[in-house]
Amino acid sequence: MAAAASLAIRLTALVVVLVVLCPTASAAPKGKQYKVGGPEGWCVPPKVDKEMFYVKWASSITFFVGDSVEFVYKNDSVIKVSKVGYYHCNETAGIGTGPGPRDGKTLFPLDAPGFTYFASSNLAHCNDGQKLIIKVLDAEQRPPASASSPLEAPTEPSSSQAPPSPEPGPASKEHSSAMGGPFVAPLARAMAQAATLVLACLI
């Protein structure tokens, strides 16, 4: 009985430690980072597909506040533009950023819901389809991270389900007390809570 009680206390302490050290178990899922254009990166699309190239890429992804988009390019540029700048390709300086660099990588965090617009600051490239529109959803709409079902503590069969058993002798009663007796249910609950928190931390 003493051993079972001690084990139950230790498992309860483990649950408390996991709750303190594993805040991610109840936190919202982290944002994702997407490379614009996939493996090809940010470039002038093929002429036959210039109107739909980046529309198709963006339509395959659901963007949420907290995500980010990375533009990878060479001898080109990317700027954040207004809706008018997106449709008319008439902006050469980004919103709050000035002209974009000519080579490298540029990361834009998606920090507000709604439509966000990007384009090459080279107006000819923009007119050739090198522009992107993204619809960003509120972070609260992000589906929760998949998690394993919580482990359930074993339950004892009810008296209506279990066949009657003979009254245990003194030796049997002694063995039952050594196995934990009244501590079995709390012990099982503590083990289930600890296992659930460990699984949540690993996700």
Side-chain angles (χ1 to χ4, degrees):
M1 183 182 295
S6 175
L7 183 57
I9 292 170
R10 289 179 183 179
L11 282 171
T12 303
L14 175 62
V15 169
V16 173
V17 170
L18 285 172
V19 168
V20 172
L21 296 181
C22 187
T24 55
S26 58
K30 293 181 179 179
K32 297 180 180 179
Q33 182 175 316
Y34 300 96
K35 180 182 176 183
V36 175
E40 302 297 324
W42 180 242
C43 58
V44 177
K47 289 187 181 296
V48 295
D49 200 24
K50 73 174 190 176
E51 298 299 329
M52 296 300 295
F53 186 82
Y54 286 106
V55 171
K56 289 177 183 176
W57 177 81
S59 66
S60 66
I61 302 170
T62 303
F63 299 94
F64 296 93
V65 171
D67 291 341
S68 57
V69 285
E70 181 184 46
F71 295 79
V72 180
Y73 48 91
K74 186 172 179 62
N75 195 28
D76 212 318
S77 59
V78 60
I79 54 175
K80 189 173 183 179
V81 297
S82 66
K83 181 177 179 179
V84 172
Y86 173 84
Y87 285 104
H88 295 281
C89 289
N90 59 1
E91 295 180 15
T92 56
I95 297 174
T97 61
R102 301 297 300 174
D103 290 291
K105 300 178 181 180
T106 304
L107 185 70
F108 289 93
L110 304 176
D111 51 11
F115 289 98
T116 304
Y117 307 89
F118 303 95
S120 171
S121 62
N122 182 319
L123 300 186
H125 289 187
C126 181
N127 281 301
D128 283 338
Q130 194 178 2
K131 55 185 179 178
L132 172 67
I133 177 173
I134 289 177
K135 182 179 181 180
V136 183
L137 301 180
D138 194 283
E140 293 179 0
Q141 295 178 264
R142 186 190 297 274
S146 59
S148 303
S149 300
L151 301 178
E152 295 182 0
T155 55
E156 297 179 4
S158 64
S159 56
S160 60
Q161 295 173 335
S165 57
E167 180 69 21
S172 299
K173 287 182 180 177
E174 209 171 287
H175 178 70
S176 176
S177 296
M179 291 299 291
F183 293 99
V184 171
L187 178 62
R189 281 196 297 273
M191 289 177 68
Q193 290 175 343
T196 302
L197 284 168
V198 169
L199 287 173
C201 284
L202 294 175
I203 295 172

